[in-house]
Amino acid sequence: MKISNHSAVPVYTISGSSTARPLPEWLARKRKRSLKNDPEYASRIELLQDFEFEEASQCVRVSDDGQWVMSTGTYKPQIHTHYLPHLSLSFARHTISLNTTFLLLSSDYSKSLHLQSDRSLEFHTPLGCHYTTRLPRYGRDLQYDNRSAEALIPAVGVNENGKGEVFRLNLEAGRYMRGYEVDVGGDDFTSSSGGTLQGGISTGSVNTAAIAEDSHNLLAFGTSIGTVEFWDARSRGRVGILQSPRQSGPIEGKQEITALEFSRSGLGLATGLSTGLIHLYDLRSSNPLLKKDQGYGYPIKTLMYLNSSTSTRAQTSEPKILSADKRIIKIWSPEDGSPWTSVEPAVDINSVAWCKDSGMLLTANEGRQQHAFFIPQLGPAPKWCSFLDNLVEEMAEDPNDPNAYTSQKAGDVYDNYKFLTMQQLQSLNLSHLVGTTSLLRPYMHGYFVAQRLYEEAKLIADPFVWEEERNKRVKDKIDTERESRIRGNKKVTAKVNKRLAEKMMERAEREERRQAKRVLEKGGDEEQPAAKEENNSDNLLSDHRFAKLFQDPDFTIDERSREFQSLNPSTKPPLLEASEDNDRGLTAVEEEALAEIPRSDTGSSSESEAPVPKPKDSGRISSTSYKRAGHRPQQQPQMHVSSSKRPSQAKDRSFGSRAERSRGTKLNTSTVVGEREITFAPERKSKTQKVESTERRRDKGRRSASGNVFRSM
């Protein structure tokens, strides 16, 4: 089930959505089973069993009791009758010729009258075709007069008097009566409908008929020359004629009357033309009250006043008119012609039937499957498919609101009515209205109450509801502010430039606190404007344009650079981590600076053997720090150290302090042009101390640390 119209009044396609691509009968079973993977085919709803024909359907009718649907189609010409409570096909029957239109003479399917395309009338009963009679000329439409028990058949061509004729078949007497003679343009070739002989080109005819059954029982016949003639069935005489207004637009050709419909009061008449125009008349005036264009320029095939038979619903619902051509079905208001909703199937439409007091529309159309459309705002689902109401409510955005069938505002459905259960009515003190007034409309397990009445009753039942709601909103905002002060709910997820992200988050939190404070000062009733975009760190962190700034290491901001320090003088540069310093070795510049420092050859053996500690950041010597200390750059001396080990590193690495320490050292200097040469002659280290220490350790009678006692024996 899918939505055919996404406007404020949605239309759900119950069946016939796959008419554009029918599945042939000769298709292999294996391929049919593969359709279970098709989501459109798997989610289909087959409302009625075999609600289709081999090629196309011609006409569809719903019985007065609402339990039977009869439709005709081809090919081969046949009749299908569905029993709606069982949602299944009751029987199918073949006919000799194609059906033009038909009528249900009884409240169910048991008596039906069919107008065939071979100039015959067939009477059908549950047992089959009961009787067949021939017509003098081809019929165009079929109507039944209940008061006189006569079948009226508007026909093509003229009689011996040069008049069009509407045949009268009296079902009580079982014979044809004298027909109604209607002017269709004469039998000459110079009139507007020249060549009115049967089978000629532009043949004059009586196209359609209508009967005001609910009021004065006046007969109306629409002709091919654009006139509507009114006849009284009691006097068998014409009482008036209505000429359709001539159009001054670009429409060319004749404007034939192709559809007629009386309103329930009998004073209103709707006419449909072959050019797609619809006129609404008041019988007391010859000028149309409203002109409506269907939009496509095709002949109007169906006109229908959508009036409810229930008196309580008719008092609250607005009147609507359904008009259909072969392309689109439109439902609009007769007051000003404003469109209400529409549905445009993928195939051409031949006939439309409405299930009374519901929102179900059935169509006969080109293509194999017949269409079924459901409009929830037009009325509830019929009794035989009441489960559609639950399906529509599940598809609604707000399942708690029975009026929410789509994205329209609450209250737009059912004319601003609110659905209430019996318990809710008792809580609002409205239970005494059940069964005594039309203000409550029963529906399913509850009632629909006018929205204004519901609001007034709710205010009377609980006058302090607004004050409680206001206090609740203020309390919620205070709790939110307290929670944000106790612990922060936001976490920084940046991989790089984390300090920048934290700073932006703190700035956004301060702005939120200021806004919450202003809200509390004003009482919490008014909504405050949103924070500015530049103060909202979430927008910047989640913006795809700036995502690399906090994720890609190539965009890392160096806070120890000179440019950053000049732009942010109050920002303290971050200290390097200990792990980073310990793992990092000396650079080439630092090793060169250490090589320039003179070393003393006099030192204890313990100092020479002591491991050289790794330099720290605070003890590094570079050319920049050397110049800042007030020393001038000297020529690079060549150092020749006999010891292969690196000299021990002193705490004070300045050249002056090193020179003071090395005054007592014997230096052999020789002046060389362009450079200075310094040589050291360190004494050789004696190994006696090591031997003595080893013997002293072994002389003791203690157990060896290696655990092998017999090694020293």
Side-chain angles (χ1 to χ4, degrees):
M1 186 170 67
K2 65 179 182 178
I3 299 179
S4 303
N5 190 353
H6 295 272
S7 62
V9 183
V11 179
Y12 295 87
T13 303
I14 306 301
S15 63
S17 59
S18 59
T19 304
R21 49 176 191 143
L23 191 65
E25 291 293 338
W26 46 264
L27 202 59
R29 294 183 179 180
K30 183 177 180 181
R31 189 173 178 184
K32 287 184 179 180
R33 288 194 298 268
S34 65
L35 288 175
K36 64 182 181 180
N37 299 325
D38 188 358
E40 183 179 354
Y41 184 81
S43 60
R44 74 191 188 281
I45 295 179
E46 190 174 357
L47 184 65
L48 294 175
Q49 176 192 1
D50 298 330
F51 194 55
E52 58 185 20
F53 286 88
E54 299 294 335
E55 294 293 337
S57 51
Q58 184 66 25
C59 187
V60 60
R61 295 281 188 269
V62 181
S63 62
D64 292 338
D65 58 4
Q67 295 187 354
W68 299 88
V69 170
M70 182 177 290
S71 54
T72 59
T74 188
Y75 182 78
K76 301 176 181 180
Q78 51 189 307
I79 302 172
H80 287 179
T81 303
H82 289 80
Y83 185 51
L84 297 180
H86 292 175
L87 301 177
S88 61
L89 179 64
S90 179
F91 64 88
R93 183 178 301 162
H94 290 271
T95 58
I96 298 176
S97 61
L98 181 64
N99 180 266
T100 302
T101 184
F102 70 94
L103 292 176
L104 295 176
L105 302 181
S106 59
S107 59
D108 55 3
Y109 79 101
S110 58
K111 297 178 182 179
S112 60
L113 179 61
H114 298 258
L115 176 63
Q116 304 297 105
S117 59
D118 60 348
R119 293 192 299 122
S120 63
L121 279 176
E122 293 185 358
F123 295 86
H124 283 259
T125 60
L127 300 179
C129 182
H130 178 71
Y131 183 75
T132 301
T133 181
R134 296 280 290 181
L135 292 171
R137 287 186 295 275
Y138 290 98
R140 287 290 184 90
D141 197 7
L142 184 62
Q143 289 292 336
Y144 179 69
D145 187 1
N146 290 322
R147 299 185 183 182
S148 60
E150 292 181 352
L152 306 178
I153 306 99
V156 182
V158 296
N159 56 9
E160 66 276 3
N161 297 325
K163 299 289 186 180
E165 194 168 5
V166 178
F167 299 109
R168 294 170 50 208
L169 178 60
N170 193 299
L171 302 186
E172 183 179 1
R175 63 185 180 91
Y176 285 101
M177 311 297 290
R178 183 177 180 180
Y180 299 110
E181 295 184 350
V182 181
D183 186 11
V184 294
D187 58 354
D188 58 329
F189 289 90
T190 60
S191 61
S192 59
S193 292
T196 54
L197 295 179
Q198 183 173 243
I201 300 176
S202 300
T203 305
S205 61
V206 183
N207 293 330
T208 183
I211 303 176
E213 297 179 354
D214 298 332
S215 54
H216 44 66
N217 203 51
L218 198 65
L219 308 179
F221 304 112
T223 66
S224 59
I225 60 176
T227 60
V228 179
E229 293 191 5
F230 300 94
W231 289 71
D232 190 353
R234 296 169 296 180
S235 62
R236 309 290 192 274
R238 186 174 64 185
V239 296
I241 185 171
L242 180 64
Q243 186 74 31
S244 62
R246 295 297 178 182
Q247 302 294 331
S248 59
I251 301 176
E252 298 179 357
K254 297 185 300 182
Q255 296 186 11
E256 301 181 8
I257 302 295
T258 57
L260 285 176
E261 183 70 13
F262 277 102
S263 63
R264 175 175 291 182
S265 63
L267 297 178
L269 177 69
T271 64
L273 303 181
S274 60
T275 56
L277 298 178
I278 302 169
H279 294 158
L280 297 184
Y281 291 93
D282 191 329
L283 295 185
R284 294 166 292 188
S285 174
S286 60
N287 296 324
L289 301 177
L290 179 66
K291 297 180 181 180
K292 175 74 174 178
D293 189 0
Q294 190 75 357
Y296 289 95
Y298 297 113
I300 303 298
K301 294 189 174 182
T302 304
L303 273 178
M304 193 183 306
Y305 282 88
L306 302 180
N307 296 321
S308 176
S309 60
T310 306
S311 60
T312 56
R313 181 173 176 82
Q315 294 173 1
T316 56
S317 62
E318 296 180 0
K320 299 177 182 62
I321 294 180
L322 182 146
S323 60
D325 57 8
K326 72 175 186 178
R327 180 66 62 84
I328 192 172
I329 301 173
K330 288 187 176 182
I331 301 177
W332 43 280
S333 172
E335 301 295 334
D336 53 359
S338 59
W340 191 64
T341 189
S342 63
V343 56
E344 187 173 359
V347 293
D348 293 343
I349 302 171
N350 293 326
S351 177
V352 181
W354 175 50
C355 298
K356 294 183 179 180
D357 301 331
S358 69
M360 181 66 67
L361 297 178
L362 305 177
T363 66
N365 48 264
E366 299 295 327
R368 182 170 182 175
Q369 291 183 343
Q370 293 183 247
H371 287 72
F373 302 103
F374 179 53
I375 308 175
Q377 298 187 26
L378 182 61
K383 295 180 180 179
W384 50 273
C385 59
S386 58
F387 56 87
L388 291 180
D389 288 328
N390 298 331
L391 293 178
V392 171
E393 290 180 5
E394 291 177 0
M395 295 177 64
E397 294 182 358
D398 186 5
N400 298 324
D401 188 2
N403 298 331
Y405 290 103
T406 182
S407 59
Q408 73 271 12
K409 297 180 181 179
D412 289 348
V413 186
Y414 295 119
D415 302 326
N416 293 329
Y417 271 69
K418 179 72 174 178
F419 181 80
L420 299 176
T421 61
M422 192 62 189
Q423 292 77 7
Q424 293 174 340
L425 287 176
Q426 293 176 356
S427 63
L428 296 176
N429 298 325
L430 296 178
S431 57
H432 64 282
L433 300 178
V434 177
T436 60
T437 180
S438 61
L439 296 176
L440 302 182
R441 296 163 53 190
Y443 179 73
M444 294 180 67
H445 61 283
Y447 299 87
F448 278 105
V449 184
Q451 187 72 21
R452 184 179 301 177
L453 176 61
Y454 166 73
E455 294 176 356
E456 293 179 357
K458 187 175 181 180
L459 185 60
I460 294 174
D462 191 1
F464 303 103
V465 62
W466 167 244
E467 188 68 22
E468 294 176 357
E469 181 66 20
R470 178 181 177 275
N471 296 335
K472 181 181 178 181
R473 293 176 61 185
V474 173
K475 183 177 180 299
D476 293 341
K477 291 185 177 181
I478 292 176
D479 294 342
T480 304
E481 172 65 18
R482 289 174 178 174
E483 184 179 1
S484 63
R485 286 184 296 181
I486 294 174
R487 66 177 187 273
N489 295 329
K490 300 179 180 180
K491 296 182 180 180
V492 180
T493 58
K495 295 182 180 179
V496 296
N497 300 329
K498 192 172 183 180
R499 294 185 61 182
L500 176 61
E502 291 177 351
K503 186 185 299 183
M504 296 173 63
M505 295 285 285
E506 292 177 0
R507 188 184 307 168
E509 290 179 359
R510 288 196 301 269
E511 183 64 24
E512 290 178 359
R513 292 191 184 96
R514 285 195 293 268
Q515 287 186 4
K517 186 176 181 181
R518 289 195 295 267
V519 169
L520 295 176
E521 291 177 355
K522 292 185 178 181
D525 293 338
E526 299 179 358
E527 295 290 340
Q528 299 296 330
K532 295 182 179 180
E533 187 175 357
E534 57 267 18
N535 293 335
N536 194 346
S537 62
D538 293 339
N539 294 340
L540 186 58
L541 291 174
S542 60
D543 196 342
H544 67 278
R545 298 174 299 175
F546 306 99
K548 291 186 178 181
L549 182 60
F550 303 98
Q551 302 295 333
D552 195 347
D554 295 339
F555 293 91
T556 306
I557 300 175
D558 187 6
E559 298 185 0
R560 293 176 295 170
S561 62
R562 184 176 180 180
E563 292 80 2
F564 184 84
Q565 293 295 333
S566 61
L567 294 175
N568 303 275
S570 61
T571 302
K572 184 178 180 181
L575 297 177
L576 296 177
E577 299 293 338
S579 61
E580 180 181 354
D581 295 340
N582 294 335
D583 296 340
R584 188 170 112 38
L586 295 176
T587 62
V589 178
E590 294 171 350
E591 291 179 355
E592 184 180 354
L594 287 176
E596 294 177 0
I597 301 175
R599 299 293 180 178
S600 175
D601 57 348
T602 60
S604 60
S605 61
S606 61
E607 292 178 356
S608 62
E609 294 178 358
V612 180
K614 293 184 179 181
K616 300 293 182 179
D617 289 342
S618 59
R620 291 177 182 172
I621 297 179
S622 62
S623 58
T624 304
S625 60
Y626 188 80
K627 291 179 181 180
R628 289 179 181 177
H631 302 282
R632 295 182 179 179
Q634 298 180 359
Q635 297 179 352
Q636 296 181 358
Q638 296 181 357
M639 300 178 63
H640 303 279
V641 184
S642 60
S643 176
S644 60
K645 295 184 179 180
R646 180 178 295 181
S648 60
Q649 184 179 1
K651 294 184 178 180
D652 192 358
R653 296 181 179 180
S654 63
F655 186 80
S657 60
R658 282 298 190 184
E660 291 293 335
R661 287 187 178 184
S662 60
R663 283 182 180 178
T665 307
K666 188 182 289 187
L667 297 176
N668 297 327
T669 60
S670 60
T671 304
V672 182
V673 180
E675 64 178 4
R676 175 178 294 181
E677 182 179 352
I678 302 176
T679 59
F680 296 89
E683 297 180 358
R684 293 199 176 191
K685 299 178 181 178
S686 61
K687 298 182 180 180
T688 57
Q689 296 180 359
K690 293 185 178 180
V691 175
E692 293 178 358
S693 60
T694 304
E695 292 177 354
R696 190 183 306 112
R697 186 172 61 251
R698 291 181 178 180
D699 289 343
K700 296 181 179 179
R702 295 185 300 175
R703 185 176 180 178
S704 175
S706 63
N708 192 348
V709 181
F710 301 96
R711 179 177 299 177
S712 59
M713 293 178 65

